[in-house]
Amino acid sequence: MIKRVRFHGRGGQGMKTASRIVGTASFLEEFFVQDCPLYGAERRGAPMVAFTRLSKEPIFERGIITSPDINMIADETLLGDKSANVFQGTWEGTITIVNTHYPASHVRNVYGVVGEIVTLDITEIALNVIGESVLSSTAAAVVCKLTGMITESSLEKAVIKELSSINLKKELIEKNLQAALTCFDRIPETHPHYFEPIKEDKMDEIVKLEYADPRIGTPSVYAKGNTRLKKTGNWRLFRPVIDHEKCSRCRTCFVYCPHSCISIDEGDYPQIDYENCKGCLTCFYECPKKVISKDHEVRAW
Amino acid sequence: MSMKNAVYTKFKDISREEHISPGTALCTGCGGLLALRLAYKVLGENVVIVNAAGCFTLLSVYPYNPFSSSWMYTAMASAPAGAQGIRDALDILIKKGKLKSEENLKVVVLTGDGAANDIGLQSTSAAIHRGLDFHYFCYDNEAYSNTGFQMSSATPYGSRTATSLPGEINPQGTVQRKKDLFEIWRAHKPPYLATVSPSHPVDLSNKFEKASKFEGPKLFIALSPCPPGWSFGASNSVNIARLAVQTGIWPLKEAVYGEVKHTVIPKFKPVEKYLRTQNRYNHLFNPVKQVDVIDNIKKDVEQYWERYLDS
Amino acid sequence: MVKEMLTGNYAAAWGARLSEVDYVPAFPITPQTEIIETLSQWINDGEMNAKFTNMDSEHSMITAAGTAAATGARVFSATSSQGLLYGYEMLYNVTGWRVPLVLVNVSRGLSAPITLEPDHNDILSTRDSGFIQIHAETCQEVLDTILMAYRIAEDERVLLPVLINMDGFYLSFTREPVEIPCKDAVSRFLPEYNPKHAFFKASKPMSQGVAVLGGSAYSYFKYQMHLASLNVLTVHDEVAGEFKRIFGRSYSATEAFKIDDAEYVIIMSNSFTIKGKAAVNKFREKGLKAGLLRLRLIRPFPSTELKAFLRGKKAVAVIDQNISPGSGGILFKDVTTALYHDPDRPERILSFIGGLGGKDIGHAEFKHIVEEMEKSIETGIVPETQLLYTKNDLEHINNLLNIAGNPLEGLEN
Ligand SMILES: Cc1ncc(C[n+]2csc(CCOP(=O)(O)OP(=O)(O)O)c2C)c(N)n1
Ligand code: SF4
Ligand code: SF4
Ligand code: SF4
Ligand SMILES: [Mg+2]
């Protein structure tokens, strides 16, 4: 039996480590196992994925998992993000687990998820127990339980091993362990979908590439400034909000925005491009009048 | 300190036009990107950037591009040579009448500190030596950031990087002093050379403005606080850059044909204050304070400024 | 049109001059130096309206060549051996940029040990870079091929750079009569370069050489280079046809020498081919039906043409003037691959390595090759790759080994 786990998060949230904790725990169970992260062009804050495969038989697969058995969505803002494509290849046998305080039925209603869906507010658990929203050990614990193949003691050892390897302090590892075990307990022992998934690959087909005009056949970009289309606003955890009534129009925020997301309008007031603002909060800290506030980003729906 | 040709005195003088669109793949709060954005505002639109491998290569990832002007990625070692090719081609095509002179472009090399100090130093030296008419914008994040923050020869003494981790043998992390790229470049006597910081946009703008009056190599080193590499929160880039200037760690200066002038005299805030903002220096304070290492850093700063304030 | 005694290097310089190139970035290396010295002088004297820039390395030189071509200039440069390898990273870049520059490589054996005379490991190391590769046999061919190369490279169906190979010393420093075409004829053949896809100008910003992440996009662009290269098989013949019409000299992707009725065929490339041709003549005098094929277009590899030439032959021997240690000759594999599926393919294909570091390939070698071909027909056994190395060669090296001193002498055990 093979379980293919895909982790969706944002750079810095700990999904690479989560995939490794599950990998190590499976290794300790003496399964065949692979884990790997996928690096895109994006740096910290951008959507990323990581994978773990565990199996009782040798694994004849490698690389990205296009169709997961367990789909961990550690950041709910990714749900609505087309570029993150978190539901790619999910099917009736997939268990999707979303880190949110909403009930599963709500997620299903809004996103029409295929397969089983489980929700758990692991951020809250992390904040309560660890004190910061690092999700590596908690997300890993949820996944370990969902596989139905990993024991609590292997999870424990794996958390210690992986977190020590990234030089986390002892106290923090302790807290992570506690949070992980809390999550492990919160996921029920058995589940209707804990069965051997049966699935046929949807067949793609081979096409013949034709020669293209070199203007097209070379990686050149002719459009001006089209990174705008990337809409990096979804990287944001906090939203800067300007109180225009109190703003002195000094332009400090405009000058210091690294991402060209603040423009000056006709009335000489700064306006934030929320479609792209990454939420670095430089403007918030630099505003001399302190008239920019930061709001926890509204939920993805 | 005021500058003779100063045209920028306040934030309102800074152009509202943007030449780098939002939506790039660079990190939230990237200090180097802010410096480049500000520089671009002075350089204007008729620019072709020649880029070397580094984080900023990812500004343009097919099919996206944030620029209102042109761009070419070359390789890690040879962006200045790439600039030479473009400059030469534009010149000869204009001379031959194959290209109208209004189609001319400013050629701008864009590299990190690793490319500038290490693998690309030869091609830079040669381009300066040939008197190539170009701008060189080096965003100095003090390591090979794109590959995960390994040590470059611009990494400062005492900094932790992925290949100079503090340990039993070298508890201070990086053992070597930061290479003095400013002085290496200055030895070539280029017409214009300056350090800039994203925390000082007026100073930065004036320098780019002033440089535009010179033909030949115009070189800039921009302090570029890097949230993931230096290990600090994304909102703190400007503040950290400012502290670097205020503590005297990052001297803001220029050199016209080799003649050095400091454009900002620091307030000499305690160096420690700067170090403590970044976790790449955390091992200097925790679990035990490495007083000798911190003192060495202080001494370096003091010695630097003694030399300049005396003369 | 004038005929003059020119070295291969000088002929290459003339090729660039007649092509009215805009730009020559340069870095010296023996045996290429005369090319860039000559161009530098002509440009300095105002005889050529171009820009010449002394670069700091071949890596920089090829970068500058590529970016200048991407700006819209017609670009020429030249290098050799160590230089080609020093710039290797950039070869793959300029092909990816799809810029039609022309680069001459003057072949020279690769270090270590450092040497001066030619073999083809340098040029063949770049065979997978996407450069079109044409290998020349004579000084005339060097000049002519440069003119043809710009036509091929700048064709919208191609837009790939071209590497032209000539042997160090045997061509580069050897003078022979070369016809220098007149300017008018050349301009009829080779129009001004007017790039449509790669150029920089203020009114039309664009990004070139952009990073491509993700396998399907990367595969797409890489495969376009393959398709472009394959188009050369057609474009080359068109261009060669027109070249013949204007200049009277004809070139094909593969040169066939006494091949029609031949039973035994030797395959070679570059300047040593002339030695092979002489051997063929000698064998024919003795009644042996020998013939020769010269591989001229190496990338794209003209498999179909090769198959047609070799159909029904008794035996073929490939002489590789290169060595891939642990594998053998490089071109042997291209040849056998091309022939494998032809039901009428030659009965035997033999592999020989010769001419490394400019070592001569003399009559003894050719005699051996033919005997081996005959023997393998008789016995049905095909020998492993053989080095063409004679008794004299062995004596010579033994002498040298003696002089160098024997470190094993006096050692116990
Ligand atoms: C010849 C070569 N060697 C190594 C690399 C890998 N590489 C890509 S970016 C990079 C680091 C560049 O450092 P720097 O110039 O400081 O730019 P930064 O990454 O900090 O933006 C390295 C080592 C490469 N692209 N090319
Ligand atoms: S939070 Fe950062 S990206 Fe957003 S507007 Fe403020 S400075 Fe710009
Ligand atoms: S920095 Fe603050 S006061 Fe100044 S323009 Fe921005 S919001 Fe207004
Ligand atoms: S790693 Fe540092 S330099 Fe690179 S994009 Fe991120 S913040 Fe900028
Ligand atoms: Mg760097």
Side-chain angles (χ1 to χ4, degrees):
Chain A
M1 192 199 311
I2 182 164
K3 293 280 181 193
R4 303 171 187 86
V5 188
R6 192 168 71 201
F7 296 85
H8 292 273
R10 294 188 179 280
Q13 278 177 338
M15 283 311 101
K16 176 184 166 186
T17 308
S19 73
R20 290 184 162 217
I21 293 173
V22 177
T24 297
S26 312
F27 175 73
L28 293 170
E29 298 283 353
E30 304 197 343
F31 296 143
F32 293 90
V33 59
Q34 281 178 3
D35 60 51
C36 67
L38 182 69
Y39 295 103
E42 275 79 3
R43 331 300 287 157
R44 181 185 272 193
M48 64 81 69
V49 276
F51 313 101
T52 309
R53 286 185 177 87
L54 53 143
S55 169
K56 292 189 172 159
E57 291 86 43
I59 300 171
F60 289 93
E61 293 178 18
R62 206 171 267 296
I64 58 170
I65 292 171
T66 47
S67 192
D69 302 313
I70 297 171
N71 193 28
M72 160 56 75
I73 302 169
D75 188 310
E76 61 181 321
T77 65
L78 292 173
L79 287 168
D81 184 348
K82 284 212 178 65
S83 69
N85 202 7
V86 291
F87 294 114
Q88 191 210 7
T90 49
W91 58 295
E92 303 76 49
T94 304
I95 306 169
T96 295
I97 155 90
V98 185
N99 170 21
T100 177
H101 71 282
Y102 284 96
S105 57
H106 186 76
V107 180
R108 187 185 300 285
N109 287 345
V110 180
Y111 294 99
V113 184
V114 189
E116 185 61 22
I117 185 150
V118 180
T119 61
L120 184 65
D121 198 339
I122 48 179
T123 304
E124 195 194 73
I125 298 172
L127 284 173
N128 284 342
V129 183
I130 309 171
E132 10 176 342
S133 80
V134 252
L135 307 175
S136 49
S137 49
T138 45
V142 170
V143 168
C144 281
K145 189 68 169 286
L146 285 173
T147 62
M149 296 161 71
I150 295 168
T151 57
E152 201 177 87
S153 96
S154 295
L155 168 66
E156 226 172 279
K157 285 181 202 141
V159 168
I160 295 170
K161 182 153 198 275
E162 289 305 318
L163 296 187
S164 321
S165 81
I166 53 173
N167 298 322
L168 222 62
K169 284 189 209 119
K170 265 222 172 80
E171 313 91 78
L172 262 180
I173 295 178
E174 274 305 317
K175 287 181 182 171
N176 267 279
L177 207 52
Q178 204 189 324
L181 295 179
T182 308
C183 288
F184 197 80
D185 284 344
R186 292 272 198 97
I187 301 290
E189 203 65 53
T190 51
H191 196 277
H193 273 273
Y194 298 167
F195 57 74
E196 167 86 26
I198 313 149
K199 176 173 155 283
E200 278 191 20
D201 273 346
K202 244 199 275 143
M203 269 298 202
D204 202 351
E205 55 186 294
I206 300 298
V207 295
K208 195 174 167 208
L209 272 191
E210 300 292 338
Y211 181 71
D213 182 303
R215 272 158 286 200
I216 297 158
T218 41
S220 297
V221 181
Y222 303 89
K224 273 193 190 186
N226 63 350
T227 43
R228 233 173 247 289
L229 302 173
K230 301 273 288 186
K231 304 217 187 316
T232 43
N234 62 19
W235 292 27
R236 201 166 54 225
L237 297 175
F238 290 93
R239 161 187 289 250
V241 179
I242 299 172
D243 181 349
H244 283 109
E245 298 213 333
K246 295 188 189 143
C247 163
S248 70
R249 298 184 278 183
C250 68
R251 294 197 188 173
T252 304
C253 53
F254 153 76
V255 167
Y256 283 134
C257 173
H259 304 288
S260 315
C261 290
I262 302 181
S263 55
I264 303 297
D265 70 11
E266 277 143 36
D268 215 18
Y269 285 101
Q271 298 292 350
I272 295 177
D273 163 8
Y274 288 112
E275 283 205 327
N276 284 296
C277 158
K278 291 178 179 169
C280 68
L281 297 181
T282 304
C283 54
F284 167 85
Y285 280 102
E286 290 299 324
C287 170
K289 295 272 171 216
K290 295 289 164 219
V291 299
I292 304 179
S293 56
K294 58 171 184 173
D295 291 1
H296 209 295
E297 194 47 79
V298 281
R299 295 284 160 168
W301 56 75
Chain B
M1 260 201 182
S2 72
M3 243 185 274
K4 237 201 254 140
N5 301 321
V7 286
Y8 293 83
T9 56
K10 52 190 181 307
F11 282 178
K12 294 227 167 160
D13 296 333
I14 287 167
S15 166
R16 285 159 55 172
E17 240 168 277
E18 299 291 354
H19 299 286
I20 307 177
S21 291
T24 70
L26 301 201
C27 299
T28 307
C30 174
L33 179 60
L34 173 55
L36 180 65
R37 167 179 167 258
L38 293 169
Y40 232 130
K41 284 173 180 282
V42 185
L43 288 167
E45 206 165 58
N46 293 341
V47 158
V48 53
I49 289 204
V50 191
N51 171 245
C55 284
F56 283 22
T57 302
L58 302 174
L59 282 169
S60 206
V61 177
Y62 193 83
Y64 300 103
N65 133 30
F67 304 110
S68 57
S69 57
S70 289
W71 159 274
M72 180 146 207
Y73 168 69
T74 52
M76 193 170 172
S78 58
Q84 181 80 47
I86 294 178
R87 181 70 269 148
D88 285 345
L90 290 168
D91 287 347
I92 188 76
L93 291 175
I94 290 169
K95 184 180 155 214
K96 282 187 168 184
K98 291 189 193 174
L99 193 73
K100 293 195 201 112
S101 56
E102 59 265 31
E103 295 285 14
N104 204 355
L105 294 166
K106 287 177 201 156
V107 184
V108 179
V109 166
L110 173 64
T111 83
D113 52 286
N117 285 275
D118 298 328
I119 193 171
L121 185 56
Q122 164 191 303
S123 69
T124 310
S125 169
I128 305 174
H129 171 247
R130 286 187 298 261
L132 177 64
D133 186 24
F134 78 128
H135 289 75
Y136 192 133
F137 184 95
C138 167
Y139 58 100
D140 186 355
N141 53 25
E142 308 195 315
Y144 296 134
S145 283
N146 189 43
T147 39
F149 210 69
Q150 297 84 5
M151 196 188 103
S152 81
S153 54
T155 302
Y157 167 76
S159 165
R160 177 194 75 207
T161 74
T163 50
S164 57
L165 289 169
E168 286 286 312
I169 295 170
N170 291 312
Q172 75 274 55
T174 304
V175 179
Q176 294 85 348
R177 293 320 201 252
K178 185 180 172 78
K179 205 189 252 186
D180 195 344
L181 185 62
F182 186 90
E183 286 301 313
I184 294 170
W185 280 357
R186 191 169 78 89
H188 295 71
K189 299 212 169 41
Y192 193 80
L193 164 63
T195 59
V196 294
S197 166
S199 57
H200 288 63
V202 169
D203 178 76
L204 181 151
S205 303
N206 279 318
K207 285 171 174 169
F208 273 85
E209 186 65 36
K210 185 168 177 183
S212 66
K213 299 186 175 67
F214 295 96
E215 209 183 298
K218 300 167 270 282
L219 314 157
F220 297 85
I221 312 172
L223 180 69
S224 301
C226 167
W230 297 12
S231 199
F232 64 83
S235 56
N236 219 4
S237 283
V238 171
N239 180 41
I240 287 174
R242 192 183 295 117
L243 272 174
V245 175
Q246 291 175 340
T247 52
I249 290 243
W250 187 260
L252 287 174
K253 54 187 168 178
E254 62 180 4
V256 176
Y257 293 108
E259 195 80 21
V260 183
K261 197 179 93 187
H262 284 79
T263 56
V264 172
I265 298 301
K267 302 175 176 142
F268 300 111
K269 287 194 174 173
V271 165
E272 259 191 65
K273 205 170 166 186
Y274 170 76
L275 301 177
R276 280 183 186 277
T277 55
Q278 306 149 57
N279 275 330
R280 64 170 166 159
Y281 294 117
N282 187 34
H283 59 285
L284 302 186
F285 301 97
N286 291 302
V288 281
K289 195 165 170 180
Q290 298 190 44
V291 181
D292 52 332
V293 179
I294 297 169
D295 278 350
N296 284 339
I297 298 174
K298 280 185 196 157
K299 235 182 279 155
D300 284 351
V301 175
E302 279 163 18
Q303 274 173 5
Y304 174 91
W305 285 101
E306 265 164 29
R307 214 159 23 107
Y308 278 106
L309 294 179
D310 283 354
S311 59
Chain C
M1 182 204 77
V2 284
K3 208 162 193 168
E4 274 186 41
M5 286 290 285
L6 301 185
T7 59
N9 277 342
Y10 216 77
W14 264 107
R17 173 170 170 170
L18 288 169
S19 303
E20 300 194 335
V21 300
D22 299 308
Y23 186 44
V24 183
F27 192 81
I29 180 167
T30 305
Q32 150 269 30
T33 41
E34 189 190 4
I35 303 177
I36 59 162
E37 286 166 5
T38 307
L39 290 171
S40 154
Q41 169 109 59
W42 282 340
I43 292 168
N44 205 19
D45 290 349
E47 288 183 65
M48 267 177 86
N49 188 6
K51 172 120 181 114
F52 183 95
T53 301
N54 283 303
M55 299 303 294
D56 47 288
S57 73
E58 289 83 359
H59 190 280
S60 286
M61 176 185 96
I62 297 169
T63 308
T67 58
T71 308
R74 183 177 280 167
V75 180
F76 177 85
S77 193
T79 186
S80 171
S81 64
Q82 309 309 124
L84 190 66
L85 263 64
Y86 196 81
Y88 198 79
E89 179 190 19
M90 296 317 295
L91 296 176
Y92 277 72
N93 276 286
V94 298
T95 54
W97 298 341
R98 302 282 302 275
V99 287
L101 58 92
V102 173
L103 182 63
V104 164
N105 181 63
V106 187
S107 257
R108 169 178 155 190
L110 288 171
S111 178
I114 188 127
T115 191
L116 290 171
E117 286 193 65
D119 62 40
H120 306 138
N121 265 94
D122 58 355
I123 183 74
L124 289 176
S125 75
T126 70
R127 71 185 189 276
D128 305 331
S129 65
F131 265 84
I132 305 303
Q133 269 196 34
I134 305 176
H135 293 205
E137 187 193 356
T138 65
C139 297
Q140 181 73 59
E141 191 181 339
V142 169
L143 190 160
D144 292 349
T145 303
I146 291 172
L147 303 182
M148 289 173 61
Y150 281 107
R151 270 291 298 271
I152 296 168
E154 291 167 7
D155 193 297
E156 290 276 299
R157 292 165 290 176
V158 179
L159 277 162
L160 282 172
V162 181
L163 258 167
I164 296 167
N165 197 59
M166 76 162 113
D167 279 334
F169 292 84
Y170 293 85
L171 287 194
S172 70
F173 295 174
T174 302
R175 291 203 318 159
E176 57 191 22
V178 173
E179 220 173 271
I180 305 172
C182 71
K183 249 181 129 170
D184 284 354
V186 173
S187 59
R188 259 185 294 139
F189 174 73
L190 179 66
E192 193 175 285
Y193 176 43
N194 199 357
K196 290 213 186 79
H197 102 287
F199 49 81
F200 285 122
K201 53 178 169 186
S203 63
K204 235 182 147 193
M206 71 181 294
S207 293
Q208 294 191 53
V210 172
V212 171
L213 299 180
S216 44
Y218 184 82
S219 304
Y220 177 80
F221 293 118
K222 272 282 157 178
Y223 202 73
Q224 284 299 323
M225 288 160 62
H226 177 59
L227 294 171
S229 185
L230 290 180
N231 285 345
V232 171
L233 295 168
T234 313
V235 175
H236 174 273
D237 289 356
E238 282 174 27
V239 169
E242 209 172 315
F243 190 89
K244 179 162 194 233
R245 200 170 51 72
I246 296 177
F247 303 104
R249 287 180 295 280
S250 105
Y251 295 98
S252 53
T254 318
E255 185 200 342
F257 181 77
K258 307 205 170 166
I259 195 90
D260 290 344
D261 64 339
E263 292 175 340
Y264 297 92
V265 179
I266 297 171
I267 298 185
M268 298 180 74
S269 69
N270 291 280
S271 69
F272 276 29
T273 311
I274 199 71
K275 298 168 188 272
K277 287 176 181 170
V280 164
N281 284 336
K282 249 192 197 150
F283 291 132
R284 285 202 168 247
E285 277 168 26
K286 289 185 181 149
L288 184 96
K289 285 188 179 164
L292 181 142
L293 277 187
R294 175 167 72 91
L295 301 176
R296 182 169 171 275
L297 186 62
I298 302 277
R299 283 293 177 276
F301 195 73
S303 303
T304 312
E305 194 175 295
L306 203 76
K307 246 191 311 209
F309 278 131
L310 295 176
R311 194 154 285 156
K313 304 297 178 201
K314 270 192 177 159
V316 168
V318 182
I319 306 180
D320 267 293
Q321 204 173 343
N322 62 71
I323 185 160
S324 169
S327 169
I330 294 168
L331 294 174
F332 173 70
K333 275 130 210 148
D334 277 336
V335 172
T336 32
T337 306
L339 296 178
Y340 183 79
H341 282 109
D342 195 49
D344 215 7
R345 63 169 185 252
E347 277 175 57
R348 304 276 175 265
I349 311 172
L350 279 65
S351 168
F352 295 92
I353 304 231
L356 295 184
K359 194 196 98 65
D360 191 27
I361 304 179
H363 192 61
E365 282 92 334
F366 285 111
K367 190 163 154 275
H368 174 75
I369 289 169
V370 165
E371 283 167 7
E372 287 291 288
M373 285 200 270
E374 288 177 326
K375 200 161 84 192
S376 86
I377 292 286
E378 270 166 39
T379 61
I381 298 165
V382 180
E384 294 288 309
T385 302
Q386 298 177 48
L387 178 69
L388 299 172
Y389 206 70
T390 63
K391 231 185 196 168
N392 280 341
D393 291 325
L394 191 62
E395 247 170 56
H396 181 66
I397 183 67
N398 280 335
N399 265 334
L400 301 186
L401 293 172
N402 263 338
I403 298 167
N406 185 354
L408 305 177
E409 229 165 81
L411 280 187
E412 318 247 319
N413 301 324

